[in-house]
Amino acid sequence: MRTLFLWAALATASTAFAGPTRALQKAATAADVAKMVSGLKHKKGFVRELSARSLARVSPDADAEALLTTCIQSETEFGYVRAACAHTLAMWKVSGADALIIEAMDQVDPESRYWMAAALSRLNTREARAHIVSLTSDTDLFLAASAREWSR
């Protein structure tokens, strides 16, 4: 009986999460920027993350850029969402994104910090390159090894 209840609960939960995920996948396929931008305002973090990552596939948008910038600056936002926002701003080569990412890297968990550094490595600015070089001696071994690779 407990097993049946567990399966029913899991099926219900997966159905609840599939709605916004499918809608964002359709929006990304159709390059519907308005729907992807609205996903950045969703109450669920995984939807905001998916929206931010989906936006990296389309041309830069002013409204999206403002929301992504706010996302990176928000200390209350999940680190993985902030990393996804950093990725999109780096893909769009937004000026000033390097400073935002560098500042946010000290406020997030190690995994999000790694992905922010990966985003930073895409930017070809003096500040971004200098920060990547400074990460080559970081205490996080994975980040330091990747920073050495990115700084070549």
Side-chain angles (χ1 to χ4, degrees):
M1 185 62 137
R2 287 183 184 167
T3 306
L4 180 63
F5 179 72
L6 176 64
W7 282 109
L10 288 174
T12 304
S14 66
T15 305
F17 293 134
T21 304
R22 281 195 196 119
L24 279 172
Q25 287 171 342
K26 286 180 183 177
T29 302
D32 187 347
V33 176
K35 284 187 181 176
M36 289 186 274
V37 168
S38 70
L40 290 173
K41 301 172 189 173
H42 198 274
K43 65 181 180 178
K44 298 285 186 188
F46 76 93
V47 176
R48 293 190 303 275
E49 177 193 21
L50 183 59
S51 292
R53 292 213 177 271
S54 297
L55 281 164
R57 298 183 203 145
V58 297
S59 298
D61 177 77
D63 293 336
E65 185 179 320
L67 284 171
L68 292 167
T69 300
T70 302
C71 167
I72 291 177
Q73 293 172 329
S74 174
E75 292 184 27
T76 58
E77 182 60 87
F78 294 114
Y80 64 91
V81 177
R82 293 173 82 181
C85 293
H87 169 75
T88 298
L89 288 178
M91 292 294 289
W92 288 351
K93 307 275 190 222
V94 173
S95 70
D98 52 355
L100 293 171
I101 295 169
I102 291 168
E103 182 180 339
M105 284 179 70
D106 293 333
Q107 303 165 355
V108 295
D109 60 284
E111 185 176 354
S112 299
R113 190 166 172 254
Y114 174 89
W115 290 113
M116 285 183 157
L120 197 61
S121 73
R122 293 185 151 283
L123 297 171
N124 194 23
T125 64
R126 184 178 313 159
E127 295 81 12
R129 288 190 306 268
H131 195 71
I132 292 295
V133 168
S134 75
L135 293 173
T136 59
S137 59
D138 196 84
T139 56
D140 182 340
L141 298 177
F142 293 110
L143 179 57
S146 294
R148 283 191 291 277
E149 189 69 30
W150 295 326
S151 63
R152 289 185 185 175

